Amino acid sequence: MKKLIAPIALAVALSLTGCGGTAATPASAVDSKAAEEAPKAPELTGAWKQSNSSSEKSYQQAKITADTITVEWVTDAGDTTSIYWVGTFKAPKDASEPYKWTSKRDAAATKSALLASTDDTKEFTYEGGAVSYKVSALGTTKTVKLTKN
C-alpha cells in the first residue's frame, strides 16, 4: 500500500504546482486579471460638441453629468446658447456598443425655452466615440452627432 501512496502523492503535488514547481494561480487572481482585461464602459460624462454641423458658428453642444444630459443650440460662434433638451441620463454598465438610452425630458427645465424640444422622451445612442440623436425642426429631421471635447 505504501508503494501506491507515494506515486499518487507525487502526482497530486505535480498537478498543483505544475512542472516548473510554482504554485497554481489562485482563482481570485485569475478573476481580477480577467476584470482588468475586460473592456470598460465608456465615460460619457463631460462636454460634447456637434461634429457634423454645416457651420462653425452654429451647432449643438451637450453636457452630460451622472444623471442628466443637457443639449443646447449654439449660435453667433458661441456667444448665444439656447436650451434644446434637458433630460435623464443613465450611464452604460459595460462596453457593449451601440449603447442606447431613452432620456425623459425635464419639463420644468424646458417649459420656457422657445427652442426646446417638446417631446416627452428622446432616444440617444453612443457608438464609436460619438453620441447621436435626431433633431426635428420646421419639418426637417437631422441626426446630430456629438464628440467629446
Side-chain angles (χ1 to χ4, degrees):
M1 184 76 162
K2 285 186 180 181
K3 289 182 183 181
L4 270 176
I5 294 176
I8 293 172
L10 180 61
V12 169
L14 285 175
S15 71
L16 292 176
T17 62
C19 295
T22 58
T25 305
S28 62
V30 172
D31 290 344
S32 69
K33 186 174 182 179
E36 289 174 20
E37 293 174 4
K40 297 189 188 302
E43 178 59 55
L44 302 186
T45 58
W48 295 76
K49 182 178 178 183
Q50 185 175 358
S51 61
N52 65 336
S53 176
S54 57
S55 169
E56 292 181 21
K57 295 182 178 186
S58 179
Y59 52 89
Q60 285 200 329
Q61 67 184 15
K63 180 178 179 185
I64 299 176
T65 65
D67 58 1
T68 303
I69 180 167
T70 301
V71 180
E72 298 174 316
W73 295 102
V74 178
T75 56
D76 299 327
D79 288 342
T80 305
T81 59
S82 304
I83 293 288
Y84 170 71
W85 183 263
V86 179
T88 58
F89 168 71
K90 187 171 183 176
K93 296 189 185 316
D94 60 40
S96 299
E97 288 189 24
Y99 173 67
K100 297 181 179 198
W101 77 94
T102 301
S103 178
K104 184 177 180 200
R105 180 174 61 96
D106 180 340
T110 59
K111 71 179 177 184
S112 64
L114 293 177
L115 299 177
S117 171
T118 57
D119 294 338
D120 292 331
T121 62
K122 183 164 282 299
E123 299 295 320
F124 289 87
T125 301
Y126 172 81
E127 186 172 28
V131 171
S132 61
Y133 52 95
K134 294 198 181 295
V135 173
S136 295
L138 304 171
T140 301
T141 300
K142 178 176 178 138
T143 299
V144 172
K145 293 182 181 178
L146 306 171
T147 54
K148 206 166 190 183
N149 288 347

